[in-house]
Amino acid sequence: MHLESLKYFREVASEKSISKVAKKSHISQSALSQLIQKLEEDFGYKLLNRSNKGVELTEMGEIVLKYSNNIIRNYETMVEELETTVKQYNKVRINGTWALVTYSLPCVIYKIKKKYPNHQYELIASTKEDTITDVQNDICDFGVVNGNISKEHDLFTYAIGKEKIVLIAPGKYNIPDKIKLEDLTKYDMIMCNSNNHISNNLKKELKNIDKDLDDLNIIFNVATDGAVKLAVSNGYGLAFVPYESIKHELYEKTVKVIEIEDVSLDDEIYLISKKFNKLTKAQRESIEYFMEIGQKSFC
């Protein structure tokens, strides 16, 4: 199997057309068809159903596509590591949740860079699940995530501190500064799809009062904390967000924090990586200094 053929297969699966990919890649349609056919022969299965309307993945094709992304990413990461080694500098790749990458981690990475100026750092926003997978597959070198990490992942974990989660309302919203959890059912709510840890913790608290997320008036879900803040600032409802993400809005008084009586959605923040004996010197140095300066260096 040639990696180039796998890349072409992935593009064809995305475009649902051999001719479109051939034209975009500046190769003949017959040459591309032969590459895909050779890939099918290598696997021993038909991967595409061809018709006048284009192509569709077979069941076996779906399986190949599922694994091709990781294969290609691992290959590209391997090539990148080889190239960086030749260039004699050390690149450290870090994953974190969107809120941490946007609001908290840049200051930490800045301080680590100052201590180790010869290291190169790359900071990427990712989900907790993808970060765990990326650490295991050497796509990233370490991650910063919310919530406990199962021992079955066999990773090094270090508790950095807590992420403070707050309920926010529009700055001029008519709502008491302190409410009970059951009072949430009286207000419109906005939820963030990327903050599963907040939703999970909220579910646990609601369960204590025999309620569920379905009992809340969730008017819509959005993709990022930025979209949540904009929606709240525009007066569309209440939302739970990391405190670090709303410092500017609090200063501008476009939002305000509402306390919930006897409820905390704060979540542990963990640094995760492979075991230290599997890390490079640059990775170990960066992680150890991160652990030393900790949450006090967050922005």
Side-chain angles (χ1 to χ4, degrees):
M1 180 192 73
H2 293 289
L3 195 71
E4 200 66 26
S5 298
L6 201 58
K7 289 181 179 179
Y8 279 129
F9 168 74
R10 186 174 64 169
E11 290 184 37
V12 169
S14 175
E15 295 284 352
K16 299 185 184 301
S17 170
I18 291 177
S19 60
K20 285 183 182 179
V21 174
K23 185 176 181 180
K24 186 171 65 175
S25 304
H26 305 292
I27 64 174
S28 70
Q29 186 172 335
S30 61
L32 180 54
S33 293
Q34 289 174 22
L35 284 174
I36 300 298
Q37 187 175 350
K38 179 64 168 59
L39 191 65
E40 291 177 318
E41 291 173 359
D42 288 343
F43 282 119
Y45 298 104
K46 186 178 182 180
L47 305 179
L48 298 172
N49 285 322
R50 298 157 175 83
S51 70
N52 293 333
K53 296 181 180 179
V55 298
E56 293 288 341
L57 288 170
T58 64
E59 184 178 359
M60 297 304 185
E62 293 280 2
I63 294 173
V64 172
L65 180 63
K66 181 174 70 172
Y67 287 100
S68 65
N69 291 323
N70 262 348
I71 292 171
I72 293 168
R73 287 177 70 194
N74 273 316
Y75 174 80
E76 290 173 346
T77 302
M78 177 188 70
V79 171
E80 180 184 348
E81 188 169 332
L82 289 171
E83 290 174 349
T84 57
T85 301
V86 170
K87 292 177 183 177
Q88 295 185 335
Y89 68 78
N90 296 296
K91 187 172 186 178
V92 181
R93 299 151 300 186
I94 306 153
N95 279 19
T97 62
W98 188 88
L100 289 172
V101 166
T102 305
Y103 301 106
S104 300
L105 293 180
C107 294
V108 183
I109 305 307
Y110 174 80
K111 291 184 178 182
I112 297 175
K113 174 67 175 178
K114 283 295 183 180
K115 184 171 180 66
Y116 299 107
N118 292 327
H119 299 345
Q120 301 295 319
Y121 294 95
E122 182 177 76
L123 189 57
I124 299 172
S126 181
T127 65
K128 175 183 177 179
E129 294 74 18
D130 286 345
T131 294
I132 291 172
T133 300
D134 284 354
V135 169
Q136 291 173 325
N137 292 327
D138 296 315
I139 302 298
C140 76
D141 301 310
F142 70 90
V144 185
V145 298
N146 302 90
N148 293 323
I149 307 298
S150 173
K151 291 183 179 180
E152 68 184 28
H153 293 303
D154 194 31
L155 296 173
F156 167 78
T157 63
Y158 179 80
I160 297 173
K162 283 186 177 291
E163 181 179 56
K164 185 178 180 182
I165 304 300
V166 294
L167 177 66
I168 60 171
K172 297 181 180 180
Y173 206 68
N174 184 21
I175 182 174
D177 293 336
K178 186 174 183 178
I179 64 175
K180 295 182 178 181
L181 186 60
E182 52 264 35
D183 293 334
L184 285 181
T185 58
K186 303 175 184 177
Y187 303 97
D188 291 338
M189 297 288 300
I190 301 154
M191 301 297 288
C192 182
N193 292 330
S194 63
N195 285 337
N196 289 333
H197 61 290
I198 296 179
S199 297
N200 291 335
N201 289 346
L202 179 57
K203 283 181 184 178
K204 293 175 185 177
E205 294 292 342
L206 288 169
K207 188 175 180 180
N208 292 332
I209 59 170
D210 296 320
K211 299 286 185 182
D212 193 64
L213 288 181
D214 292 337
D215 295 308
L216 303 180
N217 186 27
I218 299 173
I219 56 175
F220 55 78
N221 290 271
V222 295
T224 65
D225 287 317
V228 170
K229 292 189 299 179
L230 182 60
V232 174
S233 297
N234 287 334
Y236 298 150
L238 314 183
F240 287 99
V241 295
Y243 175 77
E244 297 293 334
S245 70
I246 56 159
K247 289 181 178 179
H248 175 74
E249 286 74 16
L250 287 175
Y251 178 78
E252 295 290 335
K253 297 183 178 179
T254 57
V255 305
K256 59 184 178 182
V257 173
I258 307 301
E259 183 182 350
I260 301 183
E261 188 176 315
D262 299 323
V263 171
S264 172
L265 301 186
D266 295 355
D267 211 0
E268 292 286 350
I269 302 173
Y270 286 89
L271 182 151
I272 63 172
S273 73
K274 285 194 169 180
K275 305 297 184 181
F276 271 35
N277 61 353
K278 297 181 179 179
L279 301 178
T280 67
K281 183 172 182 289
Q283 293 162 4
R284 288 196 304 271
E285 288 175 340
S286 301
I287 290 172
E288 287 169 350
Y289 192 53
F290 195 140
M291 292 162 57
E292 180 183 334
I293 61 179
Q295 189 173 13
K296 64 180 181 291
S297 296
F298 281 8
C299 296

